Amino acid sequence: MLIGLLSRTRLVVAGLAIIALVLGTLIYRDMFVPSKSAASSLNLYTVVRRNVTASITGTGNVEPQQQSNVNFKVAGTLTEIDVHVGDHVSAGQQLAAIDSTAEQNALTQAEANLATAQSNLQAVQTPLTQNQVAQLQDNVSTAQQSYNDAVAQVNLTNSQDATQVSADQNQLTNDQAVLSNSLLYQQDLQQLNTDKATLQTALATFNNDLTCKGVAFAAYSPQCLSEFTAVSTAQSAVTVDQGKVNVDAGQVTVDRSKLTADTAKQQSDKTSGQRSINQAAASLKGAQDQLSTQTESKPNQIASAKAQVLNAQASVDTAQQNLNNTTLVSPMDGQVNSITGVVGETASPGGGATPEAPGSQAPLPTSAASNAFMVIGNVSGLEVVVPFAESDASRVAFNQDAQVTFDAVPNLTISGHVIAVASAATVSSGVVNYYATINLNQADPSLKQGMTANATVTVSKATNALTVPNLAVTHTAGQAFVLVYAGGQQVQTPIDTGVVGDQFTEVTGGLNDGEQIVIPTVRVSSGTGSGSTRGLGGGGVRVGGGG
């Protein structure tokens, strides 16, 4: 067992010695034995001319060149739908209809109003016959006579009323003079005044006697009873005296009443008479105006009648348009994309405006459902609408070339060109994008609206240009450099660059055809843990097939 252990130890030692010998040999070779060719360990690239392109990519959707949301302009109950989703329709083709009863009735009424207005205009414009003029003149004469009669009657009544009031006033004055000179009246009046004074004295005595205050008549004292009796006697005398005076002045009282009544009648007759005169004057004025307007030039009447005709015609046009709007027609050639509603449901007017893509009538891609009654798209030509990030959108411009592929149709690539780029951003979830519209140069029946499209847009291009691989270019302080290999040496050389493509960069100065440059190697790990180096191309070998 010990012998076996010693044998294994000698083997290990021998192996280690061999490894040390190999490593020593390699170190000696690297340090003291020169390389046969230093260039063979470098990745060199020979400067040649090629086309260089710079492109950006984006993902959008296939859209028709034109799309329209179609709606009724008036509300109503759907009575027919004449097309189906997927049908091809032509401009002006009927698509659907709603109940038009109300609109038809409105048109009928508007046409009747127009006929009336036209008849009125014709009547105004038609001259009168001689008999019609004579009738109008007779109307004026009759109205004038009625006015004259009214004025005469009123004047007569007013004169009679004034005479009667004057007579009443004279009679009153005369009877008042007779009364004033009547001895009996004066005696009765004097006795009335005397008895009134006696009554006032008796009242004062009774009222001032405090023993009579608050005492019932049955409990009056002899003095209170005497004072009360004196008041009653004086009151009776005054009443008798007043009666005598009233009898004496009876005729004057009658005269005053008659004067009052006749004065009131005079005022009432004046008011009533003036009203009659005013009515007769209005009738006369009306007859005169009718004669004037019917027989003289009447431009104002004609203008008014014409205006009424125009208003009535406008109402007819509106009613006719509303009736026409109960039938929905296609605004363009295209395909029916969607229909919202069935026969029997109510269709509402308006709504469903389509946001357009930049520089086109193609719709912007959107996930929102349209609330339009019907959507029609013109799929005879398709476009691709792509949102580009703001860093890329600034490089996209009109008429740039593009290559488009489609997720749903493998191995299909269609060329196109940029129509326009949106000037305003679309922000979604905080991400700023700008839509660009790309016109496809050819149609393909396998493409459908809404399909996902991947667009590669060539934003810059250089033809037959000196090029170097992008990996060979370094930058320091804004200056581009490459390592030029010449005479066994690597020289850092400044260059001027143009278009920077996906793999190659255009060189506009600093290099010549045929020069060799060094492409830096990239160290990668091998599966065993040892290192190896890789580079782009070898001596004079062109790397990559594109720009």
Side-chain angles (χ1 to χ4, degrees):
M1 180 177 182
L2 180 60
I3 296 173
L5 179 61
L6 291 174
S7 298
R8 286 195 297 272
T9 300
R10 284 195 297 268
L11 290 174
V12 171
V13 172
L16 291 174
I18 294 172
I19 293 174
L21 178 62
V22 173
L23 290 176
T25 302
L26 293 174
I27 292 173
Y28 175 81
R29 186 196 66 183
D30 290 341
M31 294 182 62
F32 300 104
V33 179
S35 174
K36 292 182 179 180
S37 175
S40 64
S41 63
L42 298 177
N43 289 305
L44 299 179
Y45 172 82
T46 302
V47 178
V48 296
R49 293 184 177 273
R50 67 170 68 236
N51 295 335
V52 180
T53 59
S55 60
I56 60 174
T57 60
T59 299
N61 298 96
V62 176
E63 300 293 348
Q65 286 183 341
Q66 184 181 12
Q67 179 174 292
S68 176
N69 290 329
V70 185
N71 295 280
F72 285 98
K73 295 182 179 180
V74 293
T77 302
L78 283 166
T79 56
E80 60 179 280
I81 299 177
D82 305 309
V83 294
H84 300 87
V85 173
D87 287 353
H88 184 275
V89 295
S90 302
Q93 178 179 337
Q94 179 171 322
L95 305 175
I98 60 175
D99 184 9
S100 61
T101 302
E103 287 74 17
Q104 183 62 63
N105 291 340
L107 176 59
T108 301
Q109 181 62 51
E111 289 173 338
N113 293 339
L114 175 60
T116 300
Q118 290 171 335
S119 176
N120 292 338
L121 175 60
Q122 184 178 6
V124 171
Q125 292 176 327
T126 302
L128 298 179
T129 64
Q130 188 60 40
N131 290 336
Q132 289 175 319
V133 173
Q135 181 61 50
L136 291 173
Q137 291 173 339
D138 289 344
N139 292 343
V140 172
S141 299
T142 301
Q144 182 66 60
Q145 186 60 49
S146 297
Y147 174 77
N148 294 341
D149 292 345
V151 171
Q153 182 60 47
V154 169
N155 289 339
L156 176 61
T157 300
N158 290 342
S159 176
Q160 291 175 341
D161 288 344
T163 300
Q164 185 61 51
V165 169
S166 178
D168 291 345
Q169 185 63 55
N170 292 335
Q171 184 64 43
L172 175 60
T173 300
N174 293 335
D175 289 342
Q176 285 177 331
V178 172
L179 181 62
S180 296
N181 295 325
S182 172
L183 178 60
L184 179 60
Y185 172 73
Q186 294 298 334
Q187 290 175 343
D188 292 340
L189 185 60
Q190 182 178 3
Q191 185 62 44
L192 174 61
N193 292 333
T194 299
D195 291 343
K196 283 183 177 179
T198 301
L199 175 61
Q200 293 299 323
T201 300
L203 280 172
T205 300
F206 178 73
N207 291 333
N208 292 332
D209 190 346
L210 299 180
T211 62
C212 301
K213 296 292 185 181
V215 179
F217 178 78
Y220 276 175
S221 65
Q223 181 178 348
C224 288
L225 184 59
S226 175
E227 293 172 355
F228 179 78
T229 301
V231 170
S232 297
T233 301
Q235 181 64 59
S236 297
V238 168
T239 302
V240 172
D241 294 340
Q242 186 64 57
K244 291 179 179 180
V245 170
N246 290 343
V247 171
D248 295 340
Q251 186 59 47
V252 172
T253 301
V254 171
D255 292 343
R256 285 198 182 98
S257 298
K258 191 172 187 308
L259 175 61
T260 301
D262 289 341
T263 301
K265 180 179 182 298
Q266 181 186 37
Q267 187 60 42
S268 175
D269 288 344
K270 282 184 178 180
T271 302
S272 177
Q274 189 60 50
R275 185 182 302 112
S276 298
I277 291 175
N278 292 342
Q279 291 175 347
S283 297
L284 175 59
K285 183 65 166 58
Q288 290 171 337
D289 290 344
Q290 187 72 8
L291 175 62
S292 175
T293 56
Q294 294 293 330
T295 58
E296 297 178 0
S297 177
K298 40 193 173 184
N300 292 337
Q301 278 187 295
I302 294 175
S304 176
K306 286 182 176 179
Q308 292 175 358
V309 170
L310 291 177
N311 290 337
Q313 184 62 60
S315 297
V316 169
D317 294 342
T318 300
Q320 182 64 63
Q321 185 61 51
N322 290 337
L323 179 61
N324 295 342
N325 288 338
T326 60
T327 300
L328 190 66
V329 298
S330 177
M332 63 181 186
D333 294 345
Q335 189 176 60
V336 179
N337 292 342
S338 68
I339 300 175
T340 304
V342 296
V343 172
E345 292 183 340
T346 299
S348 300
T354 302
E356 292 186 351
S360 171
Q361 289 185 312
L364 279 179
T366 176
S367 59
S370 172
N371 61 350
F373 170 70
M374 195 174 293
V375 179
I376 297 176
N378 184 355
V379 295
S380 60
L382 295 175
E383 296 174 343
V384 173
V385 183
V386 181
F388 285 100
E390 56 184 324
S391 58
D392 291 335
S394 61
R395 303 170 64 192
V396 181
F398 169 75
N399 213 33
Q400 289 175 338
D401 292 331
Q403 297 293 320
V404 185
T405 62
F406 309 90
D407 290 355
V409 187
N411 303 321
L412 175 63
T413 301
I414 298 179
S415 63
H417 58 278
V418 176
I419 295 176
V421 182
S423 58
T426 300
V427 181
S428 178
S429 301
V431 178
V432 178
N433 288 316
Y434 291 81
Y435 278 104
T437 306
I438 299 173
N439 182 261
L440 298 179
N441 292 336
Q442 67 183 66
D444 191 285
S446 59
L447 296 180
K448 303 293 183 183
Q449 179 179 355
M451 283 185 174
T452 301
N454 308 296
T456 300
V457 179
T458 300
V459 295
S460 56
K461 179 170 57 176
T463 304
N464 194 30
L466 287 179
T467 60
V468 295
N470 294 343
L471 289 176
V473 182
T474 60
H475 294 83
T476 302
Q479 175 63 53
F481 294 90
V482 294
L483 290 176
V484 176
Y485 185 78
Q489 300 294 323
Q490 300 181 44
V491 180
Q492 188 177 41
T493 304
I495 62 172
D496 297 326
T497 61
V499 176
V500 178
D502 300 329
Q503 299 181 40
F504 293 89
T505 298
E506 177 189 12
V507 178
T508 59
L511 289 179
N512 296 311
D513 280 318
E515 288 190 278
Q516 289 188 313
I517 62 172
V518 180
I519 300 175
T521 59
V522 180
R523 183 172 296 275
V524 296
S525 297
S526 66
T528 61
S530 62
S532 64
T533 58
R534 295 180 182 176
L536 290 179
V541 178
R542 295 173 58 185
V543 181

